[in-house]
Amino acid sequence: MVENRAARLDGVFGAVADPTRRAILAALARGEATVGELADRFPISLNGVSKHIRVLERAGLVTRDIRGREHRLAFDARPLQDAAEWMDRYRVFWEARLDALETLLESRRRSRRRR
Amino acid sequence: MVENRAARLDGVFGAVADPTRRAILAALARGEATVGELADRFPISLNGVSKHIRVLERAGLVTRDIRGREHRLAFDARPLQDAAEWMDRYRVFWEARLDALETLLESRRRSRRRR
């Protein structure tokens, strides 16, 4: 449903709109970790890290596997695919700008050679 | 600077984490518009639309050209480029999943043909 997709995009974009949460994703993309292991790597409290992880879980970007007292966290990139698809619609806009810049630089290079 | 880049990413992702703001960007990507013209297209108050536009301006996604009493708004895709670059780092993760799925489906298709 369109509404669900919009809500999912809100969640994903909101989740990655924070430098600590982006750093947590980068860490988990290198491999699974426990909450404690992640907390050791960031200069914020365990409670602070836990809050960020919950935001990432709600967005579907982090999954939690509970084995006894150990909570293992893993990165799930799938929600980013929707977000990237939304962004790809606008790729043409900045690529057009870069193309125009390249054409401009090329024509300057040519006119210099002619001098 | 890395810190500035992080703050810019926070602003861009935060700005697009809202369905009305994404719809405003989509409308402006089709062409410039005044605040009033935009407000007419959305079922929220002029004040509500103005607030969303300010968030988009702070993120650098919308520029405002003031001609007398007319404020013309335009879409600027450049900040999305940084955001897309951040996202592209993770593209390999969901593409790997899709490749794995394709391989699985292909091997199922083959084993069925053999029967």
Side-chain angles (χ1 to χ4, degrees):
Chain A
M1 258 168 66
V2 174
E3 266 180 43
N4 281 350
R5 185 165 189 259
R8 273 207 313 274
L9 280 181
D10 293 357
V12 172
F13 284 132
V16 301
D18 178 277
T20 304
R21 290 198 290 269
R22 289 196 299 275
I24 290 173
L25 284 186
L28 291 177
R30 288 191 290 273
E32 292 183 13
T34 64
V35 180
E37 282 164 357
L38 273 183
D40 286 343
R41 298 188 215 166
F42 294 96
I44 52 171
S45 68
L46 181 66
N47 193 31
V49 169
S50 292
K51 277 183 188 168
H52 283 307
I53 290 166
R54 277 198 293 275
V55 176
L56 292 166
E57 282 185 276
R58 276 198 295 272
L61 290 163
V62 164
T63 59
R64 185 187 293 254
D65 182 19
I66 302 174
R67 298 172 203 169
R69 286 176 61 184
E70 201 183 69
H71 290 212
R72 291 206 73 78
L73 304 168
F75 172 49
D76 190 342
R78 282 175 298 175
L80 285 180
Q81 188 176 2
D82 274 348
E85 272 167 20
W86 179 85
M87 222 155 247
D88 281 344
R89 279 191 255 169
Y90 300 102
R91 199 173 279 268
V92 62
F93 287 89
W94 71 78
E95 281 178 353
R97 291 189 75 111
L98 290 175
D99 286 350
L101 189 67
E102 211 171 301
T103 307
L104 180 75
L105 291 172
E106 182 55 29
S107 72
R108 281 190 60 184
R109 246 177 267 133
R110 279 182 193 170
S111 69
R112 269 191 204 151
R113 257 181 255 144
R114 255 181 263 133
R115 269 182 228 156
Chain B
M1 258 168 64
V2 173
E3 265 179 43
N4 280 350
R5 183 162 194 261
R8 274 208 312 276
L9 280 181
D10 292 357
V12 172
F13 284 132
V16 300
D18 178 276
T20 304
R21 291 199 289 270
R22 289 195 300 274
I24 291 174
L25 285 186
L28 291 176
R30 287 191 290 272
E32 291 182 16
T34 64
V35 180
E37 283 164 357
L38 272 184
D40 287 344
R41 297 188 215 165
F42 294 96
I44 52 172
S45 68
L46 180 66
N47 191 33
V49 169
S50 292
K51 277 184 189 168
H52 282 308
I53 290 166
R54 277 199 294 278
V55 176
L56 291 166
E57 281 185 278
R58 276 198 295 272
L61 291 163
V62 165
T63 60
R64 185 187 294 254
D65 183 21
I66 302 172
R67 299 171 201 169
R69 285 177 60 185
E70 201 184 68
H71 290 212
R72 290 204 73 77
L73 305 169
F75 173 49
D76 189 343
R78 283 175 297 174
L80 284 181
Q81 189 176 1
D82 274 349
E85 273 168 18
W86 179 83
M87 223 156 248
D88 280 345
R89 278 191 256 168
Y90 299 103
R91 200 173 278 267
V92 60
F93 287 90
W94 70 77
E95 282 177 353
R97 291 188 74 111
L98 291 175
D99 286 350
L101 190 66
E102 212 172 299
T103 307
L104 180 75
L105 292 172
E106 182 56 31
S107 73
R108 281 190 61 183
R109 246 178 267 131
R110 279 183 193 170
S111 69
R112 268 191 204 150
R113 258 182 254 142
R114 255 183 261 132
R115 270 182 229 157

